[in-house]
Amino acid sequence: MATGERGPRERMVFSAAQLIRRDGVTATGLREVAEHAGAPRGSLQHYFPGGKEQLVNEAVEWAGRYASARIARFMAAMARPTPGRLFAAMVRQWTEEFEATGFDRGCPVAAATVDCAESVTSTRTAAAAAFAAWRQPIARELAAMGVPPRKATALATLMVSSLEGAILLARAEQSVRPLRTVARELAPYLDSCAPRTRPDPCLSAP
């Protein structure tokens, strides 16, 4: 959905996710969210009677749905899908963003987890659900490629965890090198877990 097609409520959820990506939960204020969304500040109480906690949780949930939908788009773009190619597509989304716009924004779910996991139970729960919503379609696609179901679930966790760690390193180093490294190094192992696929020599080359 394009930004112009969103209603005020959807714009505020989207804006909260974008600001959390950049500034974290603590530094993201309701006034900043309303300004970013181009919405009247008074509408926040109308749409989010639970205040900032509700807005943050919905932004985290949105991020989980977005990540899940991206998996379907990556798969649709691949003529010969393999686990390594799927992971490469997940990584490429971030390398392209960092190269185009810089390293000031990361994953909103990770940011909310870091800021709130120990202090806001509902946000921790929302973050866990968002990560699950991301991992589930990955595991499903891996199983369709021939990875045994239990292994597919484990590999989905490995892929998300590796990507999140590489995003953090990339932002710290101001370089996409960590992202490219995990894509290159993990691809042969991922492909070896799917007997119906073959490793991509371009991904596994040093």
Side-chain angles (χ1 to χ4, degrees), residues 1 6 10 12 29 34 46 68 70 81 83 97 103 119 135-136 164 185:
M1 182 184 294
R6 298 186 176 101
E10 291 76 16
M12 284 186 280
H46 172 70
S68 175
R70 291 293 294 183
E97 177 177 336
F103 297 85
S119 58
R135 293 196 308 269
Q136 287 165 1
E164 287 287 7
E185 296 298 326

Side-chain angles (χ1 to χ4, degrees), residues 134-200:
W134 189 9
R135 293 196 308 269
Q136 287 165 1
I138 297 172
R140 185 168 58 248
E141 296 296 348
L142 293 176
M145 295 176 203
V147 179
R150 289 184 63 184
K151 186 70 172 179
T153 299
L155 290 185
T157 297
L158 175 64
M159 291 163 70
V160 170
S161 300
S162 298
L163 177 55
E164 287 287 7
I167 291 168
L168 183 62
L169 286 172
R171 295 186 72 194
E173 297 176 8
Q174 298 285 286
S175 169
V176 297
R177 188 177 299 111
L179 288 159
R180 289 177 173 158
T181 297
V182 294
R184 182 183 66 243
E185 296 298 326
L186 204 54
Y189 171 67
L190 294 172
D191 285 342
S192 74
C193 296
R196 294 205 298 267
T197 65
R198 294 290 183 271
D200 188 329

Side-chain angles (χ1 to χ4, degrees), residues 103-127:
F103 297 85
D104 64 327
R105 297 184 182 190
C107 171
V109 183
T113 302
V114 170
D115 284 356
C116 301
E118 294 301 320
S119 58
V120 185
T121 300
S122 66
T123 301
R124 176 179 56 76
T125 300

Side-chain angles (χ1 to χ4, degrees), residues 56-119:
V56 168
N57 294 350
E58 293 197 24
V60 167
E61 292 164 2
W62 173 88
R65 293 193 301 272
Y66 173 83
S68 175
R70 291 293 294 183
I71 299 304
R73 292 181 63 182
F74 296 149
M75 292 299 299
M78 281 187 276
R80 293 176 54 244
T82 71
R85 289 190 181 111
L86 175 56
F87 186 61
M90 293 167 59
V91 171
R92 189 162 53 248
Q93 174 188 355
W94 284 94
T95 59
E96 290 176 351
E97 177 177 336
F98 286 153
E99 289 175 337
T101 64
F103 297 85
D104 64 327
R105 297 184 182 190
C107 171
V109 183
T113 302
V114 170
D115 284 356
C116 301
E118 294 301 320
S119 58

Side-chain angles (χ1 to χ4, degrees), residues 9 42-55 58:
R9 192 181 201 287
S43 62
L44 283 164
Q45 185 174 1
H46 172 70
Y47 290 116
F48 306 98
K52 182 176 178 178
E53 182 175 336
Q54 180 186 354
L55 177 59
E58 293 197 24

